[in-house]
Amino acid sequence: FVQIMLYSEETAAAYCMPRIDYVLYPYYVKDLKDKTITPERALEIIEALWIKLAEILYVYSGGAAKFCAGYVPFHGVTLGGCDENYQDSNNELSFMGLQATIDLQMHAPSVNVRVNKETKEDFLFKLCELIECGTGQPAIMFDETAFEMLKKQGIPEKEVWNYCIAGCITPQIAGKQTQWNEGGRYAYPIAIDLAMNNGYSRMVGRQIGPKTG
């Protein structure tokens, strides 16, 4: 419901859901103990959530709808990773998230899977099963690399374990950090400006490039 309302309020891209397998697992264990859910029912609920996410579309004007036809909001979901002791945190819901993506083979949600040196082999095999579907899912994120990226941004080491993926490929701490740096951006007019003015930018008003003559 919250995810739907976010897109109802604003036409934006890549509102992502953090580590739902890790966050929801204690509730799943309790429901199993109370016999109010079964693994089969849990998988069905996850698949229903995946379908609901895939149904969400942008609200466009007529002209914008024609221009952006087929462009989707790219809901990101992070699965896998580690716990606060940097041990493998994959659980039944992690596997169900992969299975739901295998079963449905839809464009959404964009599934981001965290792996690290502690990731168990059975989860990696399940990951390969999803890759074998050929749908472009999932994106694979390497924890050790993401940890270093986050620490360079000033995130304390005691918090980096709990990152999720925002936007396309950006690791960040949900609720504590916001950024969007999924790739390099080149301003070609500035490149021409620098080349024509010996590294001096008339747009910026100072020397920002090498003196090329």
Side-chain angles (χ1 to χ4, degrees):
F1 175 77
V2 172
Q3 194 77 358
I4 294 171
M5 291 310 299
L6 285 171
Y7 281 96
S8 299
E9 179 185 41
E10 180 183 10
T11 297
Y15 281 133
C16 298
M17 304 175 70
R19 309 192 67 192
I20 60 173
D21 54 340
Y22 187 80
V23 172
L24 296 179
Y25 187 63
Y27 302 98
Y28 172 68
V29 171
K30 182 180 184 303
D31 285 350
L32 284 178
K33 184 178 179 180
D34 295 342
K35 297 183 179 180
T36 57
I37 201 170
T38 63
E40 293 77 16
R41 176 59 177 159
L43 175 60
E44 182 182 4
I45 291 172
I46 291 173
E47 292 187 348
L49 173 61
W50 267 216
I51 292 170
K52 183 56 66 175
L53 291 174
E55 289 178 346
I56 300 174
L57 298 174
Y58 289 126
V59 178
Y60 281 138
S61 65
K66 291 180 180 179
F67 182 81
C68 300
Y71 193 78
V72 296
F74 297 106
H75 312 274
V77 174
T78 299
L79 301 174
C82 63
D83 60 20
E84 64 271 23
N85 297 312
Y86 294 92
Q87 298 300 306
D88 180 40
S89 66
N90 290 310
N91 55 55
E92 292 95 324
L93 296 184
S94 310
F95 283 84
M96 290 181 192
L98 296 182
Q99 187 62 52
T101 312
I102 292 169
D103 291 344
L104 299 173
Q105 298 191 26
M106 300 186 300
H107 65 277
S110 299
V111 177
N112 304 292
V113 179
R114 288 178 46 181
V115 299
N116 55 68
K117 61 184 180 181
E118 301 295 335
T119 302
K120 301 296 191 297
E121 191 174 76
D122 57 347
F123 188 74
L124 293 176
F125 276 118
K126 193 66 178 180
L127 185 57
C128 290
E129 185 181 340
L130 172 53
I131 294 170
E132 191 178 23
C133 293
T135 59
Q137 299 265 34
I140 301 174
M141 306 297 167
F142 296 95
D143 280 354
E144 287 79 10
T145 301
F147 296 157
E148 294 305 313
M149 292 172 62
L150 290 165
K151 284 188 281 188
K152 285 181 179 180
Q153 295 164 19
I155 303 301
E157 187 166 359
K158 65 181 181 180
E159 294 184 11
V160 297
W161 66 273
N162 201 28
Y163 82 91
C164 63
I165 298 301
C168 296
I169 60 169
T170 305
Q172 68 179 32
I173 308 301
K176 296 184 178 181
Q177 183 185 18
T178 179
Q179 59 179 338
W180 193 344
N181 57 356
E182 87 287 358
R185 296 287 187 255
Y186 297 92
Y188 290 105
I190 290 184
I192 296 172
D193 185 27
L194 297 178
M196 297 295 291
N197 295 284
N198 198 28
Y200 180 86
S201 173
R202 292 181 298 175
M203 294 181 181
V204 178
R206 59 186 174 88
Q207 187 83 22
I208 63 172
K211 293 183 178 182
T212 56

